Amino acid sequence: MGETGFSNGSRYLPIADHGLIGDLRTVALVGADGTIDWYCCPRFDSPSVFGSILDAGRGGSFALAPCVPAKTKQFYFPDTNVLITRFSAPDGVGEVQDFMPVREERCEIDRHRLIRRVICVRGSLEFRARMAPRFGYGTEAHQVTRHGGHALFRAPSLALSLTTTAPFEIDGPDVVSEFKLHEGETAVFALDRLDEHVDMRGCPLEEAEQQFRATVGFWRRWIAGSRYRGRWREMVQRSALTLKLLTYEPTGGIVAAPTTSLPEQLGGPRNWDYRYVWIRDAAFCVYALLRLGFTEEAEAFMDFLSEHVGMDGADPTGPLQIMYGIDGRRDLPEYELTHLEGYDGSAPVRVGNAAVGQLQLDIYGALIDSIYLYDKWGRPISSDRWEEVCTLVDWVCDHWDQPDEGIWETRGGRKNFVYSRLMCWVAIERAMRMAIHRGLPSNLPHWREARDALYRQIMRRGWSPSLRAFVQQLDGDLLDASVLMMPLAKFVSPTDPKWLSTLDALGSGLVSDSLVYRYDTRLSPDGLAGQEGTFSICSFWYVEALTRAGRLDEARLAFEKMLTYANHLGLYAEEIGHTGEQLGNFPQAFTHLSLISAAFCLDHALG
């Protein structure tokens, strides 16, 4: 990791220089320098308490590191989401263990605790901590008072208590602590959310040890449920653990990423809030987790759909929105936090997401495919859920032949995207499979007519004779990596001559040393300024498409190359920049689920 501090001269750590901890309700990003620079409490979509990743001056942070320059290393306690940051200095070696205890039983009291346990492993080390919360994305003033071994931070919207076994002082709006540990000694900092149901409580060393063991036990019991025994198992397990961290346990929703406005291009405007449940992303996550044997998570997401997602078809834009709040809310107004400078000066910082009102027809295919797989690998769906599926499919049959905004959420107007048509075909085809397999009531003649019309339209108008490839839009001649899903969705044989020709065209037009661009932003205006990096989910789709086409040497090399772009903990942001840096919100569920799928497919093909 290099030495603590910001060696590149910036006040911002690289996006990739972070680890993730969480309690299935919210998360914190811990930098490789020991600083928590992103934490929203009490939920993923709450305003930030620590947000210095979006404004080093105003955002707030919780720094904890030796007082002297030290080399750092970060790793996860094996098979868990407990993060350890080790500091090596001339006089000693110390480590900070960061974790958030997970409540295994549902209870009325909404506790949230973040524990930072500091241990001197060798020699002796002096440490310095500064707890500098900035409530409400840095807009709310707060008071800090001392109550014995506690510091109480009280803002209009939230109260937090800091309990520590180390001495501390109040410094303006912050709390600072300097302490020295000798070999074998430990100090604990515990941050608790307070409300009328949760009082201040201590965190003696024994309690911290007990909660450490309980948290380790929770994650190890969970990951033990994975059935994956193939190659790259460590990366697959880390991806699964990350997807679990992005689950909001009270409702079963899965967020696309736990951050907002981390830039797709430094200094560019492509900054979005991903702390919501995208139907597409969550449905693909269910597929990846089902592959590994985690049926409970799939069932929880199905419950989220039943409870929070209306499927009656009354809305003019369709029965489904493309995204929902983690509590199922439909209204996600987008606004800018103009007082924050953005990551490394990359404004704007956005909260909410205006794309919520877009028409993206592909979500119907993603959702019904996940229901089909749950019915096949999990447990048979209920009669009520089948009625909901029929409502969705009937709507798709009547509305598939219209332009939409597409999978990439472009803001340049609606187009006739081939991927949207492909996933409408998937929606109908998977529902037909369920109806036939289980003898369920359905309007099969009507469904078959729409499915076949979709197939013919894609084959005739989604194919460019000049490019000899399937393309982005009907009757167009621009490439788009989303068509990599064609063989994965079983629309076309992976060895069909048209598909093999498409794979070659994508390889020469959108692939850069195994990394795949979504599309060429210069040739395909998307209503946004600036450029972007390669899109990591597309790179893993490319691996899977090569695998299914029988090009195993190419697939394995591309996969191994992609693994080198993970950060030191095996985590991925949304995109990879021109010099290999991670860009966009971090970590991104989409990328990790596509890694699982590619590994599963490639390992199976290699035998």
Side-chain angles (χ1 to χ4, degrees), residues 76 79-81 234-242 569-571:
Y76 279 110
D79 293 331
T80 76
N81 282 314
E234 198 169 314
M235 288 297 288
V236 169
Q237 306 285 64
R238 178 52 50 198
S239 290
L241 283 162
T242 303
L569 298 166
L571 304 180

Side-chain angles (χ1 to χ4, degrees), residues 168-453:
F168 70 88
E169 301 292 334
I170 294 173
D171 181 17
D174 306 340
V175 163
V176 294
S177 175
E178 291 196 11
F179 55 96
K180 187 171 186 176
L181 295 179
H182 298 283
E183 190 167 318
E185 292 181 337
T186 299
V188 171
F189 294 81
L191 188 63
D192 286 285
R193 178 204 180 206
L194 302 181
D195 62 19
E196 63 270 21
H197 305 295
V198 183
D199 297 321
M200 279 192 288
R201 54 179 178 155
C203 189
L205 300 179
E206 304 78 33
E207 185 178 347
E209 170 65 25
Q210 181 270 324
Q211 294 198 328
F212 175 86
R213 286 199 303 268
T215 306
V216 165
F218 170 83
W219 289 113
R220 287 187 167 169
R221 283 191 299 279
W222 184 81
I223 197 63
S226 170
R227 294 199 301 250
Y228 188 77
R229 299 291 182 269
R231 300 167 180 81
W232 314 290
R233 186 179 172 200
E234 198 169 314
M235 288 297 288
V236 169
Q237 306 285 64
R238 178 52 50 198
S239 290
L241 283 162
T242 303
L243 292 181
K244 180 66 171 174
L245 271 182
L246 302 185
T247 303
Y248 184 63
E249 198 271 344
T251 64
I254 303 169
V255 296
T259 56
T260 179
S261 302
L262 294 183
E264 296 176 17
Q265 178 191 19
L266 283 182
R270 296 168 182 256
N271 312 326
W272 315 109
D273 191 347
Y274 275 15
R275 298 171 299 159
Y276 307 111
V277 182
W278 264 257
I279 290 292
R280 173 195 309 110
D281 299 42
F284 281 152
C285 281
V286 166
Y287 161 73
L289 291 170
L290 276 172
R291 264 276 171 89
L292 303 179
F294 295 109
T295 54
E296 279 187 23
E297 286 65 30
E299 189 165 349
F301 179 61
M302 295 299 156
D303 290 342
F304 175 87
L305 295 174
S306 288
E307 207 167 317
H308 301 290
V309 178
M311 300 195 201
D312 57 6
D315 194 295
T317 59
L320 298 179
Q321 284 189 177
I322 67 165
M323 72 181 94
Y324 298 83
I326 54 175
D327 53 4
R329 72 187 188 282
R330 301 173 69 91
D331 194 23
L332 306 172
E334 182 179 303
Y335 59 96
E336 295 182 7
L337 301 176
T338 54
H339 64 286
L340 298 180
E341 71 172 19
Y343 174 82
D344 209 5
S346 300
V349 173
R350 292 184 170 98
V351 172
N353 202 306
V356 68
Q358 288 192 355
L359 176 66
Q360 296 177 17
L361 293 167
D362 69 281
I363 63 174
Y364 293 91
L367 178 60
I368 293 176
D369 192 38
S370 72
I371 293 173
Y372 161 76
L373 293 169
Y374 175 70
D375 182 72
K376 180 178 176 182
W377 294 341
R379 61 181 61 176
I381 63 169
S382 67
S383 54
D384 286 347
R385 191 152 291 146
W386 177 246
E387 290 299 320
E388 293 169 350
V389 168
C390 289
T391 298
L392 295 181
V393 177
D394 287 340
W395 188 89
V396 171
C397 287
D398 294 336
H399 294 88
W400 62 264
D401 197 9
Q402 61 177 312
D404 71 343
E405 274 91 1
I407 181 178
W408 305 134
E409 247 155 65
T410 56
R411 300 196 177 189
R414 294 181 178 179
K415 308 273 181 13
N416 288 304
F417 290 109
V418 170
Y419 180 79
S420 298
R421 299 295 204 274
L422 165 71
M423 295 308 285
C424 285
W425 177 90
V426 168
I428 302 168
E429 197 274 341
R430 298 304 190 268
M432 291 177 65
R433 284 195 197 194
M434 277 191 281
I436 294 167
H437 173 65
R438 292 192 40 207
L440 296 167
S442 59
N443 192 353
L444 277 177
H446 181 49
W447 292 3
R448 184 175 290 110
E449 183 181 355
R451 180 199 65 180
D452 294 351

Side-chain angles (χ1 to χ4, degrees), residues 496-551:
D496 185 294
K498 275 187 168 180
W499 174 248
L500 294 176
S501 175
T502 301
L503 199 52
D504 289 337
L506 292 169
S508 58
L510 293 181
V511 178
S512 171
D513 189 38
S514 83
L515 300 176
V516 182
Y517 290 94
R518 294 191 289 183
Y519 48 85
D520 189 329
T521 53
R522 296 164 302 177
L523 300 175
S524 180
D526 54 16
L528 298 164
Q531 301 296 307
E532 61 181 24
T534 56
F535 219 69
S536 293
I537 187 174
C538 299
S539 301
F540 285 120
W541 283 351
Y542 184 57
V543 168
E544 197 164 342
L546 288 171
T547 301
R548 290 171 186 264
R551 292 159 61 170

Side-chain angles (χ1 to χ4, degrees), residues 113-141:
R113 168 166 271 197
L114 192 162
I115 294 178
R116 314 201 72 186
R117 194 163 73 151
V118 193
I119 300 172
C120 184
V121 178
R122 186 177 299 158
S124 62
L125 272 179
E126 289 190 32
F127 286 87
R128 181 186 296 119
R130 178 175 285 271
M131 162 83 173
R134 298 294 182 264
F135 295 89
Y137 300 114
T139 62
E140 291 185 10

